[in-house]
Amino acid sequence: MAFEGLTERLQKAMTNLRRKGKVSESDLRQTMREIRLALLEADVNFTVVKDFVKTVRDRALGAKVLEGLNPAQQIVKIVDEELTKTMGETAVPLNKSAKIPTIIMMAGLQGAGKTTTVGKLALKLKNEQNARPLMIAADIYRPAAIQQLQQVGDQIDVPVFQLGTDVDPVEIVRQGLAEAETKHNDYVFIDTAGRLQIDEQLMDELANIKALAHPDEILLVIDAMTGQNAVNTAQGFDDKLDITGVVLTKLDGDTRGGAALSIRAVTGKPIKFIGQGEKMTDLDVFHPNRMSNRILG
Ligand code: GDP
């Protein structure tokens, strides 16, 4: 279950608070200390935690919540609102080009779930908008990567453009886009290469693909289970590529939740989708308020 530890600890902090009919400033301080520890243990970015705790405390004191009715309940409400705000307030839809095709470039480290996510998104657009996507196989470093995308394409009945592993990725993308124009595809996904960690050569290649394709959307695929590293990775990719959004994968296995809570606040870029399983249908729009409810349990 996602957020197991965090939910349990936040609930405990809130239960302790609810037990007190009147809440003193020192009770509030104690609660905020528990929340702070719960968030740090969930691997939430230190600065994000600091800002969050300060905001909640200031709001609780400023609104004279402690003197009002049901202070505990009101503090829970403030925590919920601020958690939601930390994650971006509202859902942010996929960018769409005024004229077809909308070009979506996918980036991310190896194993983050890029290829799987391309398939999931293509299927979602097909099912919800009757879209006719094309997927371009631009990872030439692992022959298995092209095969894998082809398998995904077969599974969801979406065409894949590929030129094998001997052609430069930028050239593959150029020809893939020409193909999409000929075939009137309305969405093009570019499945790019990943590495085990960020390196300059990869970033240069991605920058070159971006310069050629002028994507409407650059989605960074991030593995939620990597916690703080996910945030550092996001920052690294964003510095170089100026990403437009994040897909957070493997949330189904993320028991802590640090990445989900930190990425937006640290990078300023919205989480647009979350992956919650290996099946092609396991992709959902990210709703910060729903996620906050889920975290608070
Ligand atoms: P890529 O190297 O970034 O293209 O990563 P892949 O798409 O090959 O995914 C790596 C592994 O993660 C595969 O076994 C996927 O099935 C798995 N995976 C991807 N997304 C999710 C997810 O949301 N939840 C779970 N549990 N597994 C996922």
Side-chain angles (χ1 to χ4, degrees), residues 109-116 120 142 148 249-250 252 275-278:
L109 296 181
Q110 197 173 303
K114 227 176 316 109
T115 306
T116 310
K120 287 175 173 177
R142 292 187 311 133
Q148 192 193 342
T249 62
K250 309 186 196 182
D252 49 310
Q276 312 204 73
E278 296 194 80

Side-chain angles (χ1 to χ4, degrees), residues 40-102:
L40 287 175
E41 206 150 290
D43 212 16
V44 179
N45 174 278
F46 178 74
T47 312
V48 175
V49 174
K50 224 173 98 192
D51 291 350
F52 178 86
V53 166
K54 181 175 187 319
T55 308
V56 172
R57 193 193 303 122
D58 288 353
R59 275 189 65 185
L61 292 174
K64 304 218 181 300
V65 162
L66 304 188
E67 293 150 38
L69 283 174
N70 282 324
Q73 201 175 322
Q74 289 192 55
I75 290 167
V76 174
K77 186 161 168 277
I78 293 174
V79 169
D80 181 21
E81 285 170 7
E82 291 302 326
L83 276 180
T84 303
K85 213 182 270 174
T86 302
M87 290 184 286
E89 207 103 58
T90 52
V92 182
L94 211 53
N95 293 343
K96 197 167 177 180
S97 162
K99 72 185 233 302
I100 67 163
T102 292

